[in-house]
Amino acid sequence: MDTIHLLIFALDGTRYALRLEQVTRVIRAAALTTIPHAPDVVLGILDLQGEVIPVINLRRRFGLPERSIGCEDQFVVARTGKFTLALHVDTAEGVCDQSAGEPVAADEIVAGTQFLAGVTRTAEGLVLIHDLDTLLFPDEQAQIQAALEQV
């Protein structure tokens, strides 16, 4: 039976996950540089070992209450089909292994969940699995790439 490896992280009390093969690393949150002409969902950019990475505000994307970056927060650095980005999260909880048949497609539960690839259950409760390639709208991806080219 195939196994899916997920990185579990928390945001405003809700647990989310990304497929581990998309995740590059998890780092402690750091100061960001603002970037002109970037979409509203971009908090700023981060220089990570010479690579300029946009940091995405998941709170804004999901309509959660805004708050500033705290010293205990983390960035999940991940790779989409187009570029590397970082997601500002409250905390990364760790890796979870699930059988490939366990996650339920998100649209089977509720319509309009275009950012989610599915939902799975762990011993600690339900986890929403992100579809990283749909997190940014096509025009946002284009804006981010154009803004990064000017850096």
Side-chain angles (χ1 to χ4, degrees), residues 1-106:
M1 181 170 283
D2 290 336
T3 300
I4 301 171
H5 307 287
L6 302 170
L7 173 74
I8 309 289
F9 62 90
L11 184 65
D12 203 41
T14 301
R15 298 171 71 232
Y16 299 92
L18 288 176
R19 289 181 178 266
L20 192 59
E21 65 262 14
Q22 294 178 302
V23 176
T24 306
R25 65 177 79 176
V26 177
I27 60 172
R28 184 174 299 236
L32 301 176
T33 302
T34 57
I35 181 169
H37 312 295
D40 193 39
V41 73
V42 175
L43 283 168
I45 54 174
L46 175 69
D47 181 350
L48 186 61
Q49 297 176 326
E51 183 178 8
V52 177
I53 299 172
V55 178
I56 305 301
N57 184 343
L58 288 179
R59 291 176 174 279
R60 190 167 295 152
R61 171 60 67 206
F62 299 146
L64 299 173
E66 295 277 337
R67 72 171 179 76
S68 57
I69 296 173
C71 59
E72 297 298 319
D73 293 350
Q74 295 177 308
F75 294 151
V76 175
V77 181
R79 181 95 183 127
T80 71
K82 303 208 182 269
F83 51 83
T84 300
L85 53 77
L87 306 174
H88 172 218
V89 303
D90 296 344
T91 185
E93 295 181 8
V95 175
C96 172
D97 297 332
Q98 297 284 301
S99 81
E102 284 185 27
V104 176

Side-chain angles (χ1 to χ4, degrees), residues 54 127 144:
V127 177
I144 290 170

Side-chain angles (χ1 to χ4, degrees), residues 83-145:
F83 51 83
T84 300
L85 53 77
L87 306 174
H88 172 218
V89 303
D90 296 344
T91 185
E93 295 181 8
V95 175
C96 172
D97 297 332
Q98 297 284 301
S99 81
E102 284 185 27
V104 176
D107 59 357
E108 289 181 27
I109 298 170
V110 65
T113 53
Q114 68 270 20
F115 306 127
L116 298 176
V119 178
T120 192
R121 183 184 320 269
T122 67
E124 293 80 25
L126 294 176
V127 177
L128 305 174
I129 304 169
H130 275 289
D131 180 353
L132 196 56
D133 288 319
T134 62
L135 182 65
L136 296 174
F137 301 128
D139 62 322
E140 290 173 330
Q141 290 180 24
Q143 282 180 302
I144 290 170
Q145 287 177 324

